[in-house]
Every structure is written in structure tokens, then in C-alpha cells.
Amino acid sequence: MQRHLLRRLFSSSSPFAPQKRARSGLAAVSEAVESAAVLPNMPPFGYSPPPYDGPRAAEILRKRSEFLSPSMFYLYKKPLNIVDGKMQYLYDEDGRRYLDAFGGIATVCCGHCHPEVIEAIINQTKRLQHSTILYLNNAIADFAEALAGKMPGDLKVVFFTNSGTEANELAMMIARLYTGCHDIISLRNAYHGNAAGTMGATAQCNWKFNVVQSGVHHALNPDQYRGVFGSDGEKYAKDVEEIINYGTSGNVAGFISEAIQGVGGILELAPGYLPAVYKTIKKAGGLCIADEVQAGFARTGSHFWGFEAHGVVPDIVTMAKGIGNGIPIGAVVTTPEIAQVLTRRSYFNTFGGNPVCTAGAHAVLKVIEKEKLQENALIVGSYLKNRLGALQEKHEIIGDVRGRGLMLGVEFVTDRQQKTPAKAEIVHVMEQMKDMGVLVGKGGFHGNVFRITPPLCFTKEDADFLTDVMDIALSKL
């Protein structure tokens, strides 16, 4: 029996396989048997990374501490040295496999190193890497056409950028130029980027410091779990009216929001909120900006864009991250009328929309459609949310399970009535899950929410493994 359990523990499907055990003797055997008896099997996967002979984690951490920005942070007490990736899995320096349940929102949409995306990037790189401003190239035009085809209404003019921060900066500038007004309204607990303007619009995120920007106003967050009005979106929307009536001249340049707040803790805006706010903004002469950097590109499953679930059509849509599956590319899409405002200025972006990035991003769009990843996000995401809901019934520490498709959040509290944030507990559970082979993200104003946003190729077997591992980690608290 012990021999069978040990073989299972060190099999290729076990996340413990490449690890060397420091302990020996009867104690180590007993510990191994105990772990094997409860550890779920990671789903089989037909890929083995090539051997890694580069610098080890300790050496990289030393160089990082000495030469990189002190503002950079990393997950886990002992940060992982990730050296390889394939679809929904990552591999560390020892060849150990991890289920990536977070990388989808960071950059990867259709899977790490998807062969069709890699092929498109390589083929374009062999021909031409950069030529976007003064000459013609089909890669940028073809992708712009394909992207516009995924948009509702008259949203058909595309501006390419290098990141979501740039996209949101450009969107706010367009709104100000078009309306002739300076005031922008964003939501508390939002996240829109890392430049001065977007950091000004980013209000009260737990790890962001506030950069004060003139003309930026922060509205009450329509938080269905902690908000004062629960799920009544129209009551939250009245705060936007008050800002316009008492905080501005009565006019506004624009309103920017995510449909589901990512860094803010996977908070889906209360029903009825966006329609009411959009109506108010239009009345005040402003433009509505939808930040789809995290919720866009089929992630929510039910719709291709997050704002579609609220029954609204924005004036400007921004996107990045998943658009390029890890390639630095972002975009702003608006109407022909609004786009004309930039002809009054000499606006350009040196690298935005370069042939390599647009060829790769176009391949991503084709993969999403070819492999029906939106449908998969809906099916697997619904299955995973139900399983997480079952964990909530079992473990008192889970206060809320929320989100849509493969953009899910699990909020941890020490008291369900008081909703006291379980800050220390979530860190412990996160470490335990990493040790068992599952990587998740963390966010929310209090830093007590698991952000589960895997690549869209995630399977039901992956969902089972994730929830089984989380169940074990929670049981050990």
C-alpha cells in the first residue's frame, strides 16, 4: 500500500514529482504517505519541458533586488522561477508543473505558447518587424478590420497602443478633446493603469498610491457584496448625478469603468448601474469609456465583451493583455465621428500596431473563434463557479463567490456577518495551494480575494483539481 502511494506521489502527474526530499527515514515515508493519501492528481498533460540549466531562483532574486525597481513585488514567500509554459500550465526551474489559474488576466488568453500564435509571430518577424507610421502594411489593417468586426454599433475605428495604460490614457484624452471638458468620472476601487492620468483615475485599490489629477472624480463603487445599496445599481448611479451637479460645472468629458473590476477583487458592477450612469453621462455631454483590458476577449463566456452583459454600448472601448496573449499590444476602439478629433492633433504611436504584435494578436482572435474558447469559458467557468459555491457551503471562511465565465473571485472573511477580511488566512491558503501545484492571484481593496482567471483553454478536470486543492488547503487552516 505504501509503495503504491509513494509511486503516486512521485509520478509525472503529481506536482511533487521533481522535488527533492530533504528528510529521510520512517518520518519522511510517513509524511509522504499521508500527503499522497489526500493529494488529488493533477490532470495528465502530454508535454515535458526541456531541461533548464540557467540561473537558479536565489541568483535571480539577488540580481532583481540589486538592479530592478524596489517597487516590484512577487507572489509567495519564496518566489517561483518560471522557465517554461504550455497552454494552462507553467513549469519551474526543476521542471515541476503548476496549474496556472491566474495568468489569463495577466496576459495570456488562449494559452501559454499557443503554437498558432507563436507561428504567426515568428513568420512576421522573419519578414518585417517594424513599419507602422509612414508606410502601409497589411498586418495592422487586417487586424483592425477583424477587431472592429467584434464590436457592436458604430465602433469601428481602431487606435493601437502598447499597453492597457496607454489605451486608457488615450481614451481619456479623446474624451476631453471631443467634449472640450476636462472632468473625468471613475469608480472607487477601480484600476486603469500605471501612468499619471490612469493612476489618477485608479481610486483606492489596495496596493495603489493615489496620484492626484485635476478634474478626476471618484464615484461610489456599486459593490454588490460590501456596498451600502447591495445589488441596487440605480441607487449607486445617483452618486454620479451628484458629482456632475455639485462637483463639476454641469458638464463632463467622460466616465470610465470596468464591467468587472479585476484588481479590485473580481467585482461585477451591480445590475442596472451602467445603463443608468450612461444615460446620466450622455445627458451631461460626456462619453462613456469601457475598460475591457481584463474582462474582454471572451473571458466572461456569456459575451465577448464585459459591457455587453449590462446591455450598454459605450462610445470608446479599451483593451490589452488578452488581446495579444502576452505580446505588448493594446487598443482603443471608437466611432468614426469621435475618432476625427485626433486629426486636430498630430497623434501617433511609434510601436503601437507594429506588424509583429498585430499579426500575433490577429492569430489570437482566430484561435478564440476556431477553438470556441468563449463557449468553453462559459461552460467551464459555470462549472467551476458551482464547485466554488459548494466550497463556500463547506468552509465558513469563504464569504462570497462571484464573477462570470473564467473571471471568478473568492472572498475570504473571518466573520461572515461582519465581513471581516481574512488577510493572513488567504496568504496561508495561497502558499498551501502553490505547494500542491495550483497558482492563483490575489486582489481586492483588503487583499483578501482570490482572483481566478486562467487561460481560456481551462478544462473541467483543471477546475476539479483547483477546487480539490483549495478544499484541502482550507481544511488545514
Side-chain angles (χ1 to χ4, degrees), residues 267-296:
L267 289 172
E268 192 169 12
L269 307 188
Y273 179 77
L274 281 185
V277 168
Y278 274 32
K279 182 179 180 180
T280 298
I281 295 298
K282 293 289 188 183
K283 185 178 179 181
L287 300 182
C288 300
I289 304 169
D291 181 338
E292 292 288 321
V293 171
Q294 297 192 25

Side-chain angles (χ1 to χ4, degrees), residues 36-71:
V38 297
L39 185 69
N41 277 325
M42 186 179 288
F45 189 63
Y47 174 77
S48 296
Y52 173 74
D53 58 1
R56 305 289 292 181
E59 174 65 11
I60 296 171
L61 185 59
R62 183 193 66 78
K63 290 183 179 180
R64 177 167 167 157
S65 300
E66 184 175 354
F67 298 112
L68 294 180
S69 168
S71 68

Side-chain angles (χ1 to χ4, degrees), residues 445-469:
F445 180 75
H446 301 285
N448 66 318
V449 181
F450 271 156
R451 297 165 63 195
I452 301 174
T453 55
L456 301 187
C457 54
F458 214 65
T459 68
K460 286 186 177 180
E461 291 73 22
D462 296 323
D464 285 334
F465 181 66
L466 184 155
T467 49
D468 288 345
V469 164

Side-chain angles (χ1 to χ4, degrees), residues 49 52 55-57 60 64 75-76 78-86 89-100 112-113 434 439:
Y52 173 74
R56 305 289 292 181
I60 296 171
R64 177 167 167 157
L75 298 176
Y76 309 114
K78 292 183 178 180
L80 294 172
N81 179 21
I82 298 296
V83 302
D84 207 312
K86 195 71 172 177
Y89 296 102
L90 293 171
Y91 299 83
D92 69 10
E93 60 190 15
D94 294 313
R96 180 182 176 186
R97 178 161 60 109
Y98 297 87
L99 177 63
D100 182 8
H112 293 280
C113 301
K434 182 261 293 182
L439 307 180

Side-chain angles (χ1 to χ4, degrees), residues 194-381:
N194 278 300
T198 49
M199 289 180 80
T202 294
Q204 297 187 356
C205 266
N206 67 309
W207 56 275
K208 298 295 291 186
F209 52 87
N210 188 32
V211 176
V212 178
Q213 292 285 307
S214 64
V216 176
H217 309 266
H218 301 131
L220 189 65
N221 195 42
D223 181 348
Q224 300 183 67
Y225 181 61
R226 293 181 177 273
V228 292
F229 300 124
S231 297
D232 192 335
E234 293 186 7
K235 287 185 178 179
Y236 293 104
K238 292 186 181 300
D239 188 49
V240 174
E241 284 188 51
E242 293 183 4
I243 289 174
I244 294 173
N245 292 334
Y246 303 108
T248 74
S249 61
N251 299 105
V252 67
F255 168 82
I256 183 171
S257 75
E258 307 154 89
I260 301 178
Q261 294 176 340
V263 175
I266 316 297
L267 289 172
E268 192 169 12
L269 307 188
Y273 179 77
L274 281 185
V277 168
Y278 274 32
K279 182 179 180 180
T280 298
I281 295 298
K282 293 289 188 183
K283 185 178 179 181
L287 300 182
C288 300
I289 304 169
D291 181 338
E292 292 288 321
V293 171
Q294 297 192 25
F297 274 79
R299 176 155 295 281
T300 61
S302 58
H303 302 83
F304 198 84
W305 306 107
F307 64 79
E308 292 179 302
H310 293 264
V312 297
V313 177
D315 301 294
I316 303 174
V317 181
T318 64
M319 62 200 74
K321 298 188 187 299
I323 181 176
N325 211 56
I327 307 168
I329 183 172
V332 175
V333 185
T334 189
T335 67
E337 178 187 349
I338 295 172
Q340 279 293 319
V341 74
L342 286 186
T343 62
R344 304 175 196 168
R345 305 289 191 275
S346 179
Y347 174 80
F348 66 92
N349 191 308
T350 303
F351 295 106
N354 69 77
V356 173
C357 288
T358 49
H362 198 174
V364 171
L365 197 59
K366 292 176 181 177
V367 168
I368 291 174
E369 295 172 348
K370 176 183 176 181
E371 299 184 0
K372 299 181 178 179
L373 294 183
Q374 181 177 338
E375 181 181 347
N376 188 68
L378 177 62
I379 294 171
V380 177

